[in-house]
Amino acid sequence: MMSAACTSSPLFFTGADEPVQFQCPIQETELIEELLSLLQEGNSKSTSASPNSGSDGSNRGVYSVDERKRRRMTSNRESARRSRGRKKRHLEDLTEEANRLKMENRELKNRLGFVAEKCHVTWRENERLEAESLALWARLSHLNRVLFAMQTLQQSQY
């Protein structure tokens, strides 16, 4: 930490071209009191800094340990409140999505049941048609044999 004490020796600062000499006109206690009053005035006048910003900038040194602790606790409470709100909205979104997915699942199960029933009916119809096809092929084969026998018989009579 820098000391605010002024000694009788001058202070030197480097300017653009040459060193500049600066003589401290006030004593240490006067300087500290002046700085504190300026900081307190600036703190009471300026309310542009957000209380939730987490950084008090140049006012940090003015606040006591208890005040900083109180501000930090308030900031943490606000942060926790926002976090709980986000968590609640997220839970509501998840619940809504779960309900939507349950409804979609129910609809898909109903469609699957309908398609399965239609598939079963089609399968039974296919089996019936295959059996009918076999019967017709057998009848056609029998009729072809009868026709062949009749033609053979007719040819043998002539």
Side-chain angles (χ1 to χ4, degrees), residues 23-92:
Q23 201 68 6
C24 186
I26 56 176
Q27 293 300 317
E28 177 181 287
T29 56
E30 291 173 354
L31 180 65
I32 291 173
E33 288 173 2
E34 181 69 22
L35 286 173
L36 284 176
S37 69
L38 287 174
L39 287 174
Q40 288 173 346
E41 283 177 18
N43 186 32
S44 64
K45 289 180 184 176
S46 75
T47 56
S48 62
S50 170
N52 294 330
S53 67
S55 172
D56 295 331
S58 64
N59 295 336
R60 175 169 277 200
V62 175
Y63 298 119
S64 69
V65 173
D66 290 338
E67 177 68 12
R68 284 195 305 259
K69 184 177 180 181
R70 186 187 63 75
R71 285 176 172 255
R72 189 173 59 248
M73 286 176 60
T74 302
S75 175
N76 287 348
R77 283 188 187 114
E78 280 298 309
S79 178
R81 184 187 59 77
R82 288 189 305 270
S83 179
R84 285 190 302 271
R86 283 191 305 271
K87 184 177 180 180
K88 183 179 177 184
R89 283 189 300 278
H90 183 64
L91 180 61
E92 288 169 354

Side-chain angles (χ1 to χ4, degrees), residues 75-130:
S75 175
N76 287 348
R77 283 188 187 114
E78 280 298 309
S79 178
R81 184 187 59 77
R82 288 189 305 270
S83 179
R84 285 190 302 271
R86 283 191 305 271
K87 184 177 180 180
K88 183 179 177 184
R89 283 189 300 278
H90 183 64
L91 180 61
E92 288 169 354
D93 291 345
L94 289 176
T95 302
E96 184 178 312
E97 184 177 5
N99 290 335
R100 183 186 60 77
L101 289 172
K102 284 177 185 176
M103 186 179 296
E104 184 180 346
N105 192 27
R106 192 177 317 121
E107 289 173 5
L108 288 172
K109 283 180 178 180
N110 289 342
R111 283 178 51 193
L112 179 63
F114 177 74
V115 169
E117 179 63 29
K118 201 169 187 179
C119 179
H120 183 68
V121 168
T122 304
W123 180 73
R124 285 187 3 223
E125 180 70 12
N126 190 39
E127 281 187 338
R128 185 189 65 76
L129 290 173
E130 283 179 353

